[in-house]
Amino acid sequence: MAERIAEEKINQIRQSVDIVELISEYVQLKKQGRNYFGLCPFHGENSPSFSVSTDKQIYHCFGCGAGGNVFSFLMELEGVTFLEAAVKLAEKADIDLQVNLSVNGKGKSVSPEIQSMLDAHELLQKFYHHLLVNTKDGQHALEYLLQRGFTRESIDKFQIGYSLNSWDFVNKFLTKRDFSPELMEKAGLIIKRERDGTYFDRFRDRIMFPIFDRNGNTIAFSGRSLGADEPKYLNSPETAIFNKSKILYNFHLAKPSIRKLQQAILFEGFADVIAADKSGVENGIATMGTSLTDEHINIIKQNTQSITICYDSDKAGIEAAFRAGNMLIDAGCTIKVAMMSDGLDPDDYIKKNGPEKFRNEVIGASLTWMGFKFLYFRRGKKLQIEGERLAYIETILKEISKLTKAVEKDHYLRQLASEFSISLEALQQQLKQIFFTEKRKSNGQTPLVNQPRVIVKQDKKLPKAHFTAERRLIAHMLRNRDIAYKVQDLLQGNTFNTDEHQAIITYLIGFYEEHMNPDSSAFLTYIQDENLRRIIADIEMMSVNEELTNQELTDYIKQVLNYQKMLKIKEKEVELKEAERQSDYGKAAAIATEINQLRKSL
């Protein structure tokens, strides 16, 4: 097996994998003109500055400067080597590279230990499912699930299984297949006894729900007891392959639906996801027994900006929804909150009221974030008591003051006025008072709320003429092989003034020695330096004339060469002052003549 990939194979991969299709798996893209735009996956942002070019097969972020082709995208996003990225892309394009590299579902090379953990989980997941649906040992567990409303379709879709009521079956099962007990303990599948160092199974006589990562690899389990055994749910511990703060249950199955509907439904647990899926809600995901994290939000935002929170409608669930909603709003998402009556969770609601009501009267009737806050802040309030009523109105007005759209403000003010029989004018006046109060609190600075969103650009110095000229020359050189050689001749042995620019054209001439035609994506593969790749991607996204006229070319070359002359003039001026200081008038006169000649040549 070869460890180096032939160039023709690399070219075959580039030509087979469309960069827009690849990046669309990670970033929500929208076409604007000839390019596609979306939120950059490499840095947090609320306004799209990430551009992908179909024509050039490259990407560039105007915010953080990230740029490259299909290979560098995977390398930067997933932290893999070029070889690992090539293997994953080749697999996607069904190209046989004949490279001996062990990779997981993310295209990332993994250690033998990690691979063994993944293999063991995959093997057990299939075995547990087989026990449940095909054996007498799992018959009572299957009947239990069916009685609780699970369908065979859901059981198969989510690969639900059953673990035998045995203390050492899994240990023996894995040991016979050459899995190390020490490693399987690290994987959370078996437990070591302190008294004698022997091992026993973690999961016994439980309904087994496999946990998958975003690529569909089995990485953990949650086992539900069949009777009164405690705990009701027994989960895998966190391991080298399972981190709850980074895992969203069902993401690998829900992702196509999320992208199609441009909406994700966020649940608290996997039982709700499965029940919702059975009801026709296929874009459901859930955290794994942990609060929503920034990592979770980043995964969701790569696919949609619109999230509906559907947590339990009891006190704890409402508090959790409020916390999650604030995090999502801060991250720039558009959110709604689905509410259910009687403090039910989604699973119980569906069992009680049916799938159609859940789809239409819960998910379909979700509250806006502001609408949810109306309910959230009135919980526990006795609004018939004047003091509590006024305090509630004050709280809601403060929340309304944070809204940026005038129509929204007016809508909720009218809603408040109607509910409590208060004049709209009085509420508007109160809103103004809140504004000035907040203004005073911020030490005289105008608060962000209530104000139009104004983006103040920093006063950056304009690039010098030679810098712009060099970039425009490179842009044309990247598009036309003949121009590249022509620029090299016109420079007459001189170099570009910016080191990175000179490095790029040096690489480019070398590239053209081996390639007859310009190819931005191929050139980015040819370049090994990540910083240079980013600059090239930035230059490629520049808007330049289709044809470079002789006059334009001459002007650019002149700007490049003149800058070097200007630097020489400044150097001579320093020498002139030193000669004059030393009263060496002959030397001063000669230097002055040189300076005049240089200025005339500009």
Side-chain angles (χ1 to χ4, degrees), residues 562-575:
N562 279 355
Y563 183 71
Q564 297 175 8
K565 293 176 183 177
M566 289 167 66
L567 291 177
K568 190 70 174 176
I569 289 171
K570 288 181 179 179
E571 181 185 319
K572 290 295 178 182
E573 285 175 341
V574 172
E575 292 180 11

Side-chain angles (χ1 to χ4, degrees), residues 84 100-104 108-111 115:
E84 292 161 353
N100 187 17
L101 180 68
S102 176
V103 297
N104 64 12
K108 201 169 187 176
S109 64
V110 295
S111 67
Q115 192 60 54

Side-chain angles (χ1 to χ4, degrees), residues 167-168 171 185 191-201:
W167 284 92
D168 61 358
N171 181 33
E185 182 197 11
I191 301 172
K192 187 175 184 178
R193 292 186 178 92
E194 290 187 10
R195 66 174 186 268
D196 58 7
T198 59
Y199 296 91
F200 63 94
D201 298 353

